[in-house]
Amino acid sequence: MQALSTATSDEFSNVHFVLTDMDETLTYNGRLAAQTYRALERLQENGVRVIPVTAAPAGWCDQMARMWPVDGVIGENGGLFFRRDENDAHALVREFWHGNAVKGVATQLQAIAARVQREVPEAKFADDQQFRTTSVAFSIPQEAAERDRIADALRCAGADVTVNNLWILGWLGGYDKLSMSRRILAGHYGIDIDAEAGRNSVLYTGDSTNDAPMFAFFRHTVGVSTVVDCLDRIPVHPRWITQGPGGAGFVEAADAVIAARLKQNR
């Protein structure tokens, strides 16, 4: 990793999309700062599309997609995509990885969650579980061995699993943040990220282990400073690292993208 401040002024001149983790990347200690929200606005004002790609639940994503200055939200680690309806500012268009089968998947996940709680009685749902539709989330216990038992129980029940800084997350379908990003960018924006030009048009910012597929795939990747806490669990590290944590780091990334675009447009 290199300090983001050392990037050349034209490093991000081809970036047209900023995809970003949300928890502890846009936020810090659970709070969204005004300057971070303003950075999202400034990116849009400069022609950059912004899509949070988060493990956060559908209920949170609903609010973000409706009210934040973003072009849509990929949530629950890739299980869904919400965006404002182009014909009705107060309505949302909702797309799920599983399509019309999403209700059946939710029922399967309820059975898996019940099994995990039987096998690991100390497992506790995350306090946002009631807002989820395509995943099951457990709170991260203090003891690493207990965390591992919950994750192993989810895997044994057939679930895909990731652990980030807030949740032990389980889901069905074999997708991840990158899979859904590929689908959404192609289907809604005509961007093929498997082609070099498409891949180079995206910058991704994150801070945790479930960001690993994005860090490994895209050329333009930025870890906010707290990413150092989990580098031992990320096979391919982000190319750049910010000075500040959370939202302050995201502002650094936004500033770099905007400066490159302004220079290009002179």
Side-chain angles (χ1 to χ4, degrees):
M1 293 187 300
Q2 303 176 64
L4 180 60
S5 60
T6 66
T8 62
S9 59
D10 60 352
E11 174 67 27
F12 307 115
S13 58
N14 293 323
V15 170
H16 299 283
F17 294 83
V18 169
L19 307 187
T20 178
D21 179 49
M22 193 269 288
D23 288 294
E24 301 308 297
T25 299
L26 292 178
T27 62
Y28 185 58
N29 289 333
R31 302 297 299 272
L32 180 72
Q35 59 265 35
T36 310
Y37 190 90
R38 178 59 185 142
L40 297 172
E41 289 183 317
R42 289 192 293 114
L43 284 165
Q44 286 197 321
E45 289 167 359
N46 284 277
V48 179
R49 295 187 180 275
V50 183
I51 302 175
V53 187
T54 174
W60 298 10
C61 296
D62 184 292
Q63 190 271 345
M64 286 189 281
R66 289 178 189 274
M67 299 182 181
W68 286 24
V70 297
D71 290 86
V73 182
I74 294 173
E76 299 196 27
N77 217 56
L80 56 88
F81 176 62
F82 293 170
R83 62 178 176 84
R84 279 184 296 275
D85 189 325
E86 296 176 356
N87 300 312
D88 183 349
H90 297 287
L92 283 187
V93 176
R94 297 177 177 87
E95 181 176 332
F96 297 94
W97 179 269
H98 293 285
N100 294 332
V102 65
K103 291 184 178 179
V105 171
T107 300
Q108 293 178 60
L109 286 169
Q110 290 173 6
I112 288 172
R115 172 176 166 176
V116 170
Q117 290 188 307
R118 287 194 302 271
E119 296 179 359
V120 188
E122 59 269 34
K124 296 181 179 179
F125 284 127
D127 62 7
D128 62 18
Q129 180 58 43
Q130 65 267 37
F131 307 123
R132 293 184 176 275
T133 60
T134 65
S135 63
V136 57
F138 290 96
S139 298
I140 297 179
Q142 292 184 345
E143 297 295 330
E146 184 179 330
R147 178 199 65 202
D148 292 343
R149 285 197 299 273
I150 296 170
D152 288 345
L154 281 165
R155 291 189 185 97
C156 288
D160 300 296
V161 180
T162 192
V163 181
N164 66 7
N165 49 18
L166 293 180
W167 304 290
I168 303 169
L169 197 72
W171 68 96
L172 298 171
Y175 57 81
D176 56 18
K177 286 187 172 187
L178 179 59
S179 304
M180 189 55 139
S181 296
R182 178 181 284 108
R183 178 184 289 189
I184 295 306
L185 288 172
H188 290 271
Y189 304 101
I191 302 298
D192 177 8
I193 61 172
D194 292 304
E196 183 177 1
R199 185 177 305 194
N200 292 341
S201 71
V202 176
L203 178 141
Y204 185 76
T205 63
D207 77 309
S208 193
T209 51
N210 65 328
D211 298 312
M214 308 292 267
F215 288 150
F217 182 82
F218 290 109
R219 173 190 170 189
H220 301 300
T221 56
V222 178
V224 297
S225 64
T226 51
V227 75
V228 297
D229 296 334
C230 58
L231 289 179
D232 60 334
R233 289 169 282 146
I234 298 176
V236 178
H237 295 170
R239 184 175 181 187
W240 306 98
I241 187 168
T242 66
Q243 180 177 359
F250 179 81
V251 172
E252 294 175 42
D255 286 344
V257 171
I258 292 168
R261 290 183 65 80
L262 291 175
K263 178 181 178 181
Q264 186 182 44
N265 293 333
R266 285 175 186 167

